[in-house]
Amino acid sequence: MTYLNATPVLRVSDYQRAKAFYMDVLGFDVVNEAGEPVTGFGIFVAGGARVFLHSWEGPEAAWDGWRGYFYCPDLDAMIAKLTTLQQPFKGPETTFYNMREIEVTDPDGNVLCFGQDA
C-alpha cells in the first residue's frame, strides 16, 4: 500500500485561539471551516503541510509524544520567527537519524516537531 501524505488531526479546547496560533505564529492559512457560524473544525495549510484542528471537550488518553511532524526547508528562519514572537520552543537538536529539529507546543499542549535534514 502507498500513501501520498498524512495529516495530523489535533484536538483543541478553544478553536479561535488555536486558529490564531496556527495562522499568526506558525504561518498556516485556513482553507476550509465547518459550521454556521464556525463550530470548531478547520483545515489549515502551509506550503505542502496540512493540519486539521478539531474543537473537542472531554477526556483523552494521556500522550506525551508529538502530535505532528513537519519538514521545514529553513529551520533557522522558523527559529528566528518564534524568537521574534517570544514563542517558547525546545531545541534545536541534531538527532541520530540526521535531522535538526525543534519542538513547539501549541496552546492546548499539542507538541509539534519541525525538522530539516542536518
Side-chain angles (χ1 to χ4, degrees), residues 8 66-71 97 99-101 111-116:
W66 299 333
R67 297 296 181 149
Y69 191 100
F70 300 89
Y71 286 94
Y97 46 89
M99 295 295 291
R100 186 167 170 254
E101 300 172 338
V111 179
L112 310 173
C113 186
F114 296 84
Q116 74 177 73

Side-chain angles (χ1 to χ4, degrees), residues 21 25-26 75 78-92 101-114:
F21 177 84
V25 175
L26 299 183
L75 193 63
M78 176 87 175
I79 290 169
K81 179 179 181 178
L82 294 171
T83 300
T84 298
L85 295 172
Q86 298 181 345
Q87 174 62 46
F89 61 92
K90 179 182 171 186
E101 300 172 338
I102 62 171
E103 291 181 0
V104 179
T105 302
D106 79 6
D108 286 286
N110 294 304
V111 179
L112 310 173
C113 186
F114 296 84

Side-chain angles (χ1 to χ4, degrees), residues 13-98:
S13 62
D14 180 329
Y15 180 78
Q16 294 302 325
R17 179 185 68 182
K19 177 180 177 179
F21 177 84
Y22 280 82
M23 294 179 76
D24 299 341
V25 175
L26 299 183
F28 280 81
D29 293 314
V30 64
V31 295
N32 200 342
E33 292 178 300
E36 217 25 78
V38 175
T39 58
F41 176 80
I43 299 172
F44 296 78
V45 297
R50 181 177 298 260
V51 63
F52 296 169
L53 300 180
H54 189 289
S55 182
W56 188 270
E57 293 181 14
E60 179 180 17
W63 169 255
D64 63 357
W66 299 333
R67 297 296 181 149
Y69 191 100
F70 300 89
Y71 286 94
C72 186
D74 188 349
L75 193 63
D76 289 328
M78 176 87 175
I79 290 169
K81 179 179 181 178
L82 294 171
T83 300
T84 298
L85 295 172
Q86 298 181 345
Q87 174 62 46
F89 61 92
K90 179 182 171 186
E93 294 182 16
T94 301
T95 69
F96 69 90
Y97 46 89
N98 206 31

